Amino acid sequence: MADIIGEINTIGDLLATVGVTRFYKQDLPKVYVANTIGIRWQGDSDEDFTQAAYEITRTYQVIYFGNNEVDCLNKTKVIRSKLSDYLSKKVQIRDSNDFMTFESFSMSAPFKTDADGVYAVVGVLSVSLLEAYTQPHYEKMQEIHAAINEGGI
């Protein structure tokens, strides 16, 4: 079964080499700190895929907090490059046998936050997963007995 926390951790694992000092997963700090990334679930939708499975499309925010607009633009390039390597590919979710597919990634222009000297740039990552419908469980037949009558019904 798909797990949002596992997916957030997986995205964080993929971005671990972009050179930030800290990751915030789902909860952002009260005071923004430069050179950090926040990863947040933004919502999802379901759609029938087959009779046995449905597709979940999820949206995640990837927020980089930097020292200035140039810092944000430079880190945007690194983040985009890292996540683009996985577009249209299946990525195994941390601590799971499930996979998610990275569908698209886009980023906003940098902007100044309300924290002194901290700017931010927001990315939107769309992923999809297949989830099996719950199937009813039937007990298997243990024995079959047949009675044969000769001479008619």
Side-chain angles (χ1 to χ4, degrees):
M1 173 170 261
D3 173 34
I4 293 172
I5 300 304
E7 294 165 27
I8 289 173
N9 286 331
T10 301
I11 296 165
D13 294 346
L14 297 176
L15 293 175
T17 60
V18 299
V20 296
T21 54
R22 179 156 185 183
F23 283 92
Y24 293 98
K25 296 178 180 176
Q26 194 57 31
D27 294 321
L28 295 180
K30 291 182 189 228
V31 176
Y32 302 130
V33 179
N35 201 34
T36 60
I37 288 180
I39 302 169
R40 300 177 63 213
W41 172 76
Q42 293 296 290
D44 56 31
S45 62
D46 298 349
E47 186 176 317
D48 283 336
F49 189 72
T50 66
Q51 288 182 334
Y54 59 98
E55 182 178 50
I56 302 169
T57 302
R58 289 210 171 107
T59 304
Y60 290 97
Q61 253 185 1
V62 178
I63 309 160
Y64 173 72
F65 297 99
N67 292 313
N68 52 50
E69 287 193 18
V70 173
D71 178 26
C72 287
L73 290 172
N74 287 333
K75 195 59 77 173
T76 294
K77 182 179 177 184
V78 176
I79 292 169
R80 177 181 300 285
S81 174
K82 191 58 134 171
L83 292 179
S84 293
D85 288 345
Y86 298 97
L87 286 180
S88 300
K89 295 180 183 172
K90 296 208 176 298
V91 176
Q92 187 166 6
I93 299 169
R94 185 206 281 188
D95 301 327
S96 172
N97 292 325
D98 295 327
F99 290 83
M100 61 182 167
T101 303
F102 286 22
E103 300 294 340
S104 64
F105 182 67
S106 60
M107 293 197 85
S108 71
F111 59 91
K112 185 165 183 1
T113 68
D114 55 358
D116 284 340
V118 179
Y119 289 73
V121 62
V122 178
V124 177
L125 175 65
S126 179
V127 303
S128 65
L129 308 97
L130 291 180
E131 187 77 35
Y133 283 116
T134 302
Q135 301 295 325
H137 179 72
Y138 299 103
E139 189 174 327
K140 293 181 181 180
M141 290 188 286
Q142 301 298 318
E143 294 180 28
I144 298 176
H145 298 279
I148 301 174
N149 294 329
E150 290 189 30
I153 300 180

